[in-house]
Amino acid sequence: MTCPDDSLERAAMDRGFLRIAGVDEVGRGPLAGPVTAAAAVLDLTVIPDGLNDSKKLTARMRDTLTTTIRARAQIAIAHASVAEIDELNILRASHLAMMRAVGMLDPAPDFLLIDGHLLPRDLTIPALAVVKGDARSVSIAAASIMAKTARDAIMVDLAQQHPGYGWERNAGYPTKCHTLALQNLGVTPHHRRSFKPVHNILYQVKTITG
């Protein structure tokens, strides 16, 4: 398994930047729940072993790394709500969550490595968009792990409030269980109404009852 390294961070340091934050988000695809972002400033002298794209790690590996990352890095985690996702669209809401996470770092970073191919609008900090960054940069990988574990915990909590949708297992993604539950149990306040499967169910109900 190819793991990310610190070459992008070192390149930024060679340009004179001192505090480099990796930034990533989790939760673009789900039908329910917030989108969550994390920003991570690593101490490159004590990089945690096993850092990788959070999707390539087991839940147990992520949980172990979360503890290690917190002890060795400055971390900030932020969210954009379902209402903000529906109002802005998922890309802009993802960027909003990213910028909220970056804004929580104190002291502030002076350079950002951001996962993806687009940078957030109105960015005031020098930054580099890194496609598949969570597999290339240790800082982005750390951010992806922190965002993933934080959002999964939220969805487990929401699953207790709204049983039947399987959020404790699918984290709100459109699995067969979740889709069937939407049809049988209906739409909750935590569902993204701008997403087609949810919108279609709402529209069908409105058409039938209207």
Side-chain angles (χ1 to χ4, degrees):
M1 181 168 61
T2 303
C3 293
D5 59 32
D6 64 354
S7 59
L8 291 173
E9 288 83 353
R10 297 292 180 185
M13 292 173 69
D14 288 344
R15 294 170 56 193
F17 297 107
L18 301 178
R19 286 181 54 77
I20 298 101
V23 186
D24 200 4
E25 54 74 27
V26 172
R28 283 198 190 186
L31 303 180
V35 60
T36 299
V41 179
L42 288 179
D43 179 350
L44 297 182
T45 66
V46 286
I47 298 173
D49 293 332
L51 284 183
N52 209 330
D53 176 356
S54 63
K55 297 184 292 297
K56 297 179 181 178
L57 304 173
T58 65
R60 187 172 183 177
M61 292 167 70
R62 288 193 297 268
D63 288 342
T64 299
L65 278 166
T66 294
T67 302
T68 306
I69 293 167
R70 284 196 179 279
R72 300 185 184 180
Q74 184 187 14
I75 301 296
I77 298 170
H79 314 276
S81 68
V82 167
E84 289 170 326
I85 292 169
D86 288 339
E87 178 183 356
L88 299 173
N89 75 44
I90 186 60
L91 174 62
R92 300 304 173 202
S94 298
H95 285 175
L96 176 62
M98 286 181 174
M99 291 300 91
R100 283 174 173 165
V102 170
M104 292 167 62
L105 293 173
D106 185 17
D110 58 4
F111 191 81
L112 306 175
L113 295 170
I114 298 180
D115 184 62
H117 65 280
L118 290 175
L119 294 175
R121 293 176 177 175
D122 304 320
L123 193 61
T124 60
I125 300 173
L128 175 68
V130 185
V131 176
K132 297 184 179 179
D134 40 15
R136 297 174 57 190
S137 157
V138 288
S139 298
I140 296 177
S144 77
I145 292 167
M146 299 306 295
K148 172 69 173 166
T149 55
R151 188 180 185 280
D152 283 355
I154 290 173
M155 297 310 296
V156 169
D157 182 62
L158 290 177
Q160 310 311 308
Q161 302 173 38
H162 299 276
Y165 297 89
W167 292 342
E168 70 280 9
R169 299 183 303 276
N170 60 45
Y173 282 87
T175 61
K176 183 177 181 180
C177 166
H178 190 181
T179 302
L180 287 174
L182 261 175
Q183 296 170 354
N184 296 326
L185 301 177
V187 177
T188 74
H190 303 288
H191 279 103
R192 302 172 180 179
R193 283 153 170 73
S194 58
F195 278 43
K196 189 173 182 179
V198 180
H199 174 82
N200 286 350
I201 287 175
L202 288 170
Y203 179 76
Q204 288 169 5
V205 170
K206 184 177 180 181
T207 300
I208 292 172
T209 61

